[in-house]
Amino acid sequence: MKRALFVITMLIAGWATQAQPLQRVAPEEVGMDSRLLTNADKLIEEAIAEKRTPGAVLAVVRHGKLAYLKAYGHKQTEPTVADTMTTNTIFDMASCSKTLGTTLCVMKLIEQGKIRLIDAVETHLPGFKNWESKDGKRKRFIRIEDLLTHASGLPAYASVNEVKKQYGAPNPKGLMDYIAGWRRDFEPKTDFQYSCLNFITLQNIVEKVSGQSLRDFAQENIYGPLGLKATDYLPCKQDEKGFWYNTDFPYWSGKAGSVEEKIIKQKDIEPYLKDIAPTEIQKETQQALRGQVHDPLARVLNAGISGNAGLFTCAEDVALLCAMIMNDGTWNGKRILSPLACQLMFTVPSWEQELGRTYGWDAYSSYSSNKGDLLSRSAICHTGYTGTSIAIDKENDISIILLTNTVHPHDNTSTLRTRALVFNAVAGSIIKEDSTQSPKYTAHYYKRFVQFMDEAPISENDIIMLGNSLTEGGGDWSKRLGIPNVRNRGIIGDEITGIQDRLHQILPYHPKKVLLMIGVNDVSHQLSTDSIMSMYTSLVKTIRTASPHTQLILQSLLPINESFGRYKRLTGKTEQIPEINARIKKLAKTEKLTYIDLFPLFCEKGTHSMRADISTDGLHLKEEGYAIWAKAIKNKI
């Protein structure tokens, strides 16, 4: 029987339910500038265009909120048709498994009082060879802290073929026996050598002390309680023809451990692997690894569950893990790690001060280039060979997660420099440090702003309805007009500066047409016609300069009806509306733009007031009003 009892226990405990996700916010709500974040977009898109990676997902956590989440490019390009990258894509985290898997498990055992940093490895793994000088006169224990900081002297890697020849494969015990007796390159704590063998050894300690596999221990103590939706180690083996297959369902399927390995069929598992970004195509079989870990030691010898690699997860789950660590070990009311265990991961021990490794992470060693130049020296980070990278900066209260599958379809490109540039661009978008400062616009403005971020990108064939509540209230303008590709970019309460501050979500994509109606909320702010038109003119010039091939169509403001008594700040403003419209019409003529005069279609006969029968409150429209609007503009666009 596989882990049936453990799975049942977890289901009873309710751990299979997902945690409340991080709150999505606009970057401006947490002191970041979304316009500056487009620099990161451009860098990623450039890497994709140059075929240095097929795609990517970028996530940014600040002040405990998800400030940015965006997918780029494709998750698969060969051997099947291109498969679009999404924010739900699951990645082979490669060596980031060391931090998000093995290290967290070690911290859990430390705080449970089951191991100590200074424990000699041989205490838990009898027969593990310590270091001794060539003449045999000096000996030193290799300790758990040496493994965590890569100061143990263990070699960087091991020959898969050599271990396989000696012990067969898969053979996790044989691999550990090999590591236990192999050479030591230097005296512990005298040097730094990044080594996958350190973390395979840590895996064996976790498993020996806990009595569980690394996979189950992590699920029971970290991923399950935190409610991660798509995080797991995926056991795998190779068949007689050389193809790789999975030997258990992933935890996110709800079936993990419930079926005997010998009766599991890969075709039954594959539906749960569809969101995984493939890695390298294997030369011998032309199989693109998808759900089978890329790292050879982890895949061939450790059958997918390994301390150095093997974790699969998505950007939002990584963001939750980072938020939990930043929040001293708690999230959503659940204590995952103790505050002091989290603090330990940010601590560079005395023997590493010049080298820059913390307990399980990197701070400023030669391997930390991914965090760029702007994050604090105390920020911790890690990378994975497949193209994954993470940085957590408590000093600036930000975590940056860039996930790519650069080794797909072939391991012949690099995004090493791109990672650092992207992290610089994200860090460079921080404009405020005080999380208590009030945002510039309304909560609804930022809610819509995030919705627009999550929509499919605007195309050159799109027509944009751009404005405030009147535009937003029109709903599906494409359906209303009977014209495809019409996008509603209206926001309740928006004003001219609000439009200006979100043009970067529209203009870089050079839409076919933009229909602009804005200004009535600026009127309610008691601004003069001259002030309003100065801002309006600037807005028009910005649009024309940034996207000269986009046809800009100016729509008149609609009338208001003060008799409803709903909007006190519009009292006495009835006659200002036609004044502004006259100026917009003049501007359209000067700039050679199309102008649509909607105003008279909505007025009570002989007045400048909104018809009461087509308005809900003297400002907004009933369905009859939208029918008039749609009819008036349909032939113009």
Side-chain angles (χ1 to χ4, degrees):
M1 178 182 291
K2 299 181 77 179
R3 301 173 317 280
L5 181 61
F6 171 62
V7 172
I8 292 170
T9 302
M10 288 190 63
L11 291 172
I12 292 173
W15 291 345
T17 59
Q18 293 179 16
Q20 180 179 341
L22 290 175
Q23 180 185 351
R24 286 293 308 279
V25 297
E28 281 74 10
E29 293 181 273
V30 289
M32 303 180 74
D33 189 329
S34 57
R35 284 169 293 193
L36 294 176
L37 276 167
T38 61
N39 291 326
D41 296 339
K42 292 172 186 175
L43 289 163
I44 296 170
E45 288 160 357
E46 180 182 282
I48 293 170
E50 294 176 357
K51 297 186 177 180
R52 285 183 276 123
T53 185
V57 175
L58 174 63
V60 180
V61 181
R62 192 152 199 253
H63 303 327
K65 299 175 182 179
L66 190 57
Y68 211 62
L69 180 63
K70 190 169 182 179
Y72 314 77
H74 297 87
K75 61 185 175 188
Q76 180 167 3
T77 57
E78 295 181 22
T80 61
V81 294
D83 192 359
T84 302
M85 187 74 76
T86 71
T87 55
N88 292 322
T89 297
I90 300 166
F91 289 83
D92 177 342
M93 296 299 290
S95 283
C96 285
S97 306
K98 293 179 173 74
T99 58
L100 300 180
T102 310
T103 294
L104 298 183
C105 292
V106 169
M107 294 300 149
K108 194 68 182 177
L109 288 176
I110 290 173
E111 69 179 39
Q112 289 175 346
K114 295 180 178 179
I115 62 174
R116 296 185 67 191
L117 287 174
I118 62 170
D119 282 352
V121 175
E122 69 171 8
T123 300
H124 304 289
L125 303 178
F128 185 87
K129 184 175 74 173
N130 290 296
W131 176 88
E132 65 176 53
S133 60
K134 291 182 179 180
D135 59 11
K137 293 181 179 179
R138 291 189 302 122
K139 298 181 180 181
R140 293 287 184 274
F141 287 117
I142 296 175
R143 305 181 185 277
I144 288 176
E145 61 188 2
D146 302 325
L147 302 175
L148 282 168
T149 57
H150 296 283
S152 69
L154 287 181
Y157 209 73
S159 168
V160 173
N161 289 335
E162 185 176 327
V163 180
K164 184 177 179 179
K165 182 178 180 180
Q166 185 173 347
Y167 294 96
N171 193 334
K173 183 181 182 301
L175 175 59
M176 189 62 245
D177 288 345
Y178 183 87
I179 296 169
W182 204 23
R183 74 174 194 270
R184 276 53 177 139
D185 289 342
F186 55 82
E187 181 180 349
K189 294 186 176 66
T190 63
D191 203 350
F192 158 72
Q193 179 168 263
Y194 182 84
S195 169
C196 285
L197 308 189
N198 285 323
F199 277 74
I200 292 173
T201 304
L202 285 168
Q203 170 197 359
N204 280 267
I205 293 173
V206 169
E207 294 179 340
K208 181 71 176 294
V209 172
S210 70
Q212 296 177 282
S213 71
L214 177 69
R215 180 194 189 195
D216 289 348
F217 186 81
Q219 187 67 31
E220 181 177 343
N221 291 276
I222 309 293
Y223 311 142
L226 193 53
L228 301 188
K229 64 180 182 180
T231 301
D232 195 8
Y233 293 86
L234 304 182
C236 63
K237 286 183 180 178
Q238 191 174 30
D239 67 19
E240 64 279 0
K241 295 182 179 179
F243 288 90
W244 290 92
Y245 66 97
N246 294 93
T247 58
D248 193 10
F249 290 90
Y251 267 105
W252 58 77
S253 70
K255 300 179 179 181
S258 62
V259 183
E260 292 291 337
E261 179 183 315
K262 63 183 179 181
I263 61 175
I264 291 177
K265 296 181 180 179
Q266 183 68 16
K267 67 180 181 63
D268 295 327
I269 297 177
E270 283 176 355
Y272 302 103
L273 308 181
K274 62 182 177 60
D275 290 329
I276 296 177
T279 56
E280 190 174 6
I281 293 177
Q282 302 300 288
K283 293 179 182 178
E284 298 81 6
T285 60
Q286 293 302 297
Q287 176 190 14
L289 296 174
R290 189 171 197 159
Q292 303 85 33
V293 58
H294 180 264
D295 179 83
L297 283 177
R299 185 177 73 255
V300 178
L301 296 171
N302 267 347
I305 304 174
S306 194
N308 68 312
L311 189 66
F312 287 82
T313 188
C314 64
E316 284 193 83
D317 278 7
V318 178
L320 265 174
L321 284 163
C322 292
M324 177 271 291
I325 293 169
M326 292 274 281
N327 198 43
D328 292 332
T330 63
W331 194 256
N332 198 26
K334 294 181 180 179
R335 168 70 59 191
I336 308 299
L337 291 172
S338 69
L340 295 183
C342 290
Q343 181 179 316
L344 197 61
M345 291 187 283
F346 288 86
T347 302
V348 178
S350 58
W351 62 89
E352 289 278 348
Q353 287 299 309
E354 292 184 8
L355 302 173
R357 300 293 301 199
T358 75
Y359 293 101
W361 292 76
D362 200 337
Y364 49 85
S365 84
S366 57
Y367 283 73
S368 67
S369 65
N370 71 292
K371 76 177 188 180
D373 310 297
L374 299 179
L375 296 179
S376 71
R377 183 175 171 83
S378 62
I380 57 175
C381 62
H382 216 281
T383 60
Y385 186 85
T386 51
T388 57
S389 52
I390 308 164
I392 306 176
D393 188 350
K394 293 193 76 170
E395 189 172 318
N396 292 301
D397 199 3
I398 189 170
S399 297
I400 306 171
I401 300 135
L402 177 62
L403 306 182
T404 74
N405 56 329
T406 303
V407 295
H408 178 77
H410 306 289
D411 184 11
N412 55 11
T413 62
S414 173
T415 53
L416 186 64
R417 176 174 165 78
T418 298
R419 292 171 178 172
L421 295 175
V422 169
F423 279 54
N424 274 350
V426 173
S429 72
I430 297 173
I431 53 176
K432 290 189 298 186
E433 292 305 314
D434 185 1
S435 62
T436 65
Q437 289 178 303
S438 299
K440 187 175 181 180
Y441 300 113
T442 66
H444 181 75
Y445 176 97
Y446 290 116
K447 180 180 179 181
R448 288 282 285 170
F449 191 97
V450 172
Q451 288 175 351
F452 299 151
M453 290 169 61
D454 290 344
E455 286 180 2
I458 289 169
S459 77
E460 294 181 352
N461 294 319
D462 286 338
I463 299 169
I464 310 300
M465 296 292 292
L466 185 57
N468 51 36
S469 57
L470 288 163
T471 300
E472 182 179 347
D476 186 348
W477 279 97
S478 191
K479 182 179 180 180
R480 187 178 292 284
L481 293 167
I483 300 173
N485 302 321
V486 182
R487 310 283 287 269
N488 188 335
R489 287 301 177 99
I491 298 182
I492 294 170
D494 207 1
E495 52 202 38
I496 295 171
T497 57
I499 296 285
Q500 188 84 253
D501 284 345
R502 57 188 178 94
L503 287 177
H504 63 282
Q505 293 187 325
I506 301 171
L507 300 184
Y509 304 100
H510 307 296
K512 185 176 182 179
K513 300 179 182 181
V514 170
L515 279 78
L516 177 66
M517 181 193 285
I518 196 68
V520 70
N521 291 315
D522 298 275
V523 171
S524 74
H525 296 331
Q526 312 305 311
L527 297 176
S528 68
T529 299
D530 284 345
S531 295
I532 291 171
M533 287 309 301
S534 176
M535 293 187 296
Y536 193 101
T537 301
S538 177
L539 176 63
V540 167
K541 290 186 181 297
T542 298
I543 295 172
R544 300 204 72 194
T545 301
S547 190
H549 298 297
T550 297
Q551 182 186 356
L552 176 58
I553 299 172
L554 306 184
Q555 301 173 96
S556 69
L557 274 61
L558 301 188
I560 60 174
N561 190 323
E562 296 184 46
S563 68
F564 281 78
R566 174 73 182 277
Y567 298 101
K568 301 300 183 184
R569 299 183 69 177
L570 287 174
T571 301
K573 302 298 182 181
T574 297
E575 297 304 322
Q576 189 179 3
I577 303 297
E579 288 179 11
I580 294 171
N581 286 338
R583 298 278 291 274
I584 294 174
K585 183 177 181 179
K586 183 179 179 180
L587 175 64
K589 184 177 181 180
T590 300
E591 296 291 329
K592 296 181 174 57
L593 302 174
T594 299
Y595 174 72
I596 302 178
D597 191 5
L598 300 170
F599 184 81
L601 304 177
F602 291 83
C603 287
E604 296 277 9
K605 189 173 182 179
T607 74
H608 287 158
S609 292
M610 170 80 77
R611 284 171 49 187
D613 64 312
I614 59 173
S615 179
T616 60
D617 55 9
L619 176 63
H620 298 100
L621 299 176
K622 294 180 180 178
E623 183 56 35
E624 300 93 313
Y626 279 110
I628 294 170
W629 188 353
K631 183 179 179 181
I633 67 174
K634 183 172 182 178
N635 292 334
K636 301 286 187 179
I637 61 173

